[in-house]
Every structure is written in C-alpha cells, then in structure tokens.
Amino acid sequence: MSAYYDLYETPSPNGSEEKKSLHARICPKETYTQKEFVEHVAMFQHLPKNIIGAALDACIDELCDLLANGNIVELGELGFFSTSLKCTQDTDDEKKKIRSESVRFQNVHLRISNTFRKKIRQKMKLERTHSPTKKSKKTETTEETRKERLMLFLQENVCITKNEYIHLTGLTRHAAIDELNKFIRQGILRRRGISRSTVYINNIQH
C-alpha cells in the first residue's frame, strides 16, 4: 500500500498573481485513536492489547512529569522531547526584570532523530491522488470504467480498502461504499474483516 499525496499551489508572499510553484502534501487516510493504535500494534507485533495500552499510558504519564520538571527526554530512535516557554509581557531591557509569574509554558517540541526519518523514508511509497478536500474540476467516470479500474487494481493487489477505492475512482466516501456493496451483491467482490480492518477481494477468482 502507498501513502497518497497531492500537489498544491504555494501562495506568493507578496500576493502576486504570477504562475505559482507547487508543493506536495500528504492526503491522510485515517486518524488513529490511541485505542486503535494499540489494537494495530497488538495485531502486527503479536503482543497483548492490555499490556501495550498500560505501558503506553505509563510512558505518557512519566513523559509529562519529566517534561514538567524541566527535563529533556530521549525516546530511542523516535527523538528528543523538550518544552518551550513564553513571556506574557514584552521588554527589550535586561534591567527590567520579568518576574516568574510572567513566564508561562508554551509548547512541547519533538526533534525527530535521523534514524527515525530514514526508516520512514525507506518504507514510504508515494502515489499521486486528487484530494477530496481540494477544489478542482472533477472528471466524471462511468460505473463500467470504475469497475475496470477496480479489476486492474485487484490484479496487482490482494485486496482493496474503502479509502483506496475512493482515491482510485474519485467518488465521495458514501458513493464509494454504496458501489462496493453493489459489487458484493453482484458477486464481483467479497468483504473480509470488520470496521477499519475491512477489505474487499476479487470474488470472481474464488
């Protein structure tokens, strides 16, 4: 499977209407909750969910305490966590002292390690798509054309997910799910898994 991206115009800093350059941006497939992340890790790492969940909660609590006490925390190949502060009143004179009451916590920063970046770069496979949130001219396709694209996709892949079908056809999420269910009723596809784990396989070859 691939990570999807689309190209967007880079705004001109001076508001110029001249031809703008493009930049690439990831089109997220899903947002994983902590519970779903734990289930994902348990499934692929073959570890008990309750142990992973408890360990993750404990790590988050300890990380919070260490950062709140002014420490920098390294989490292996992930990188370094640190905090930043802000002053609630402005001054440009060292002699005008800012009392501690005027200093506040601002944010938590994560400096990703080069090793972690390298791992993601090696594993990531990119595929161009058209983001459903991006305003663009949509090309209408027929059901037969979409079915042909689906069959070609399943010749090269074991299965297809709802999000992959959405990106493959340009349909809305609701329309894509309706069409996939229609193909199941026609005997073209078979559904496997539940919820986020749902995939669709070619039923004609089975």
Side-chain angles (χ1 to χ4, degrees):
M1 296 184 182
S2 303
Y4 296 116
Y5 73 94
D6 202 355
L7 297 177
Y8 296 78
E9 287 188 348
T10 303
S12 174
N14 56 11
S16 171
E17 293 299 325
E18 297 178 3
K19 187 175 180 180
K20 300 174 181 177
S21 61
L22 301 177
H23 66 275
R25 191 188 306 167
I26 285 287
C27 300
K29 297 177 181 177
E30 302 281 353
T31 297
Y32 279 79
T33 64
Q34 179 174 321
K35 180 182 177 182
E36 291 165 338
F37 176 73
V38 168
E39 291 174 348
H40 185 85
V41 174
M43 180 185 301
F44 289 95
Q45 301 299 326
H46 307 292
L47 295 170
K49 285 192 293 185
N50 60 331
I51 293 179
I52 298 171
L56 184 57
D57 285 337
C59 288
I60 292 173
D61 288 342
E62 290 303 315
L63 177 62
C64 179
D65 289 344
L66 290 169
L67 292 175
N69 280 300
N71 297 290
I72 294 175
V73 181
E74 179 190 5
L75 287 185
E77 294 179 352
L78 181 59
F80 294 84
F81 285 86
S82 62
T83 55
S84 62
L85 305 175
K86 65 178 179 179
C87 295
T88 57
Q89 67 179 55
D90 295 330
T91 180
D92 56 3
D93 188 348
E94 292 180 358
K95 295 179 181 179
K96 293 181 180 179
K97 295 183 178 180
I98 298 178
R99 292 181 293 179
S100 59
E101 292 82 3
S102 301
V103 179
R104 295 285 187 273
F105 164 79
Q106 183 173 34
N107 208 347
V108 175
H109 302 278
L110 171 59
R111 180 162 59 86
I112 298 296
S113 72
N114 290 331
T115 302
F116 194 69
R117 286 195 187 92
K118 185 178 180 180
K119 279 190 173 183
I120 296 176
R121 185 165 56 247
Q122 290 173 340
K123 292 183 177 183
M124 181 177 279
K125 295 180 180 179
L126 292 169
E127 182 178 336
R128 174 78 184 275
T129 189
H130 294 288
S131 172
T133 61
K134 176 182 174 183
K135 293 181 179 180
S136 60
K137 294 181 180 179
K138 295 184 177 179
T139 303
E140 296 295 332
T141 58
T142 64
E143 181 181 312
E144 191 61 34
T145 300
R146 296 192 294 271
K147 189 185 296 184
E148 290 176 3
R149 292 180 185 176
L150 173 63
M151 292 299 104
L152 287 173
F153 183 93
L154 290 175
Q155 286 178 12
E156 301 177 357
N157 302 272
V158 176
C159 60
I160 190 169
T161 65
K162 290 189 288 287
N163 283 317
E164 286 174 331
Y165 191 67
I166 290 169
H167 289 293
L168 185 70
T169 61
L171 294 174
T172 64
R173 185 175 186 83
H174 181 75
I177 293 173
D178 282 348
E179 191 157 272
L180 288 169
N181 288 332
K182 181 178 181 179
F183 291 155
I184 291 174
R185 293 193 296 270
Q186 292 175 352
I188 298 171
L189 296 178
R190 181 185 301 175
R191 184 191 291 111
R192 289 287 177 84
I194 58 175
S195 187
R196 290 181 183 271
S197 301
T198 300
V199 296
Y200 301 84
I201 62 175
N202 189 343
N203 192 45
I204 299 176
Q205 299 176 353
H206 295 79

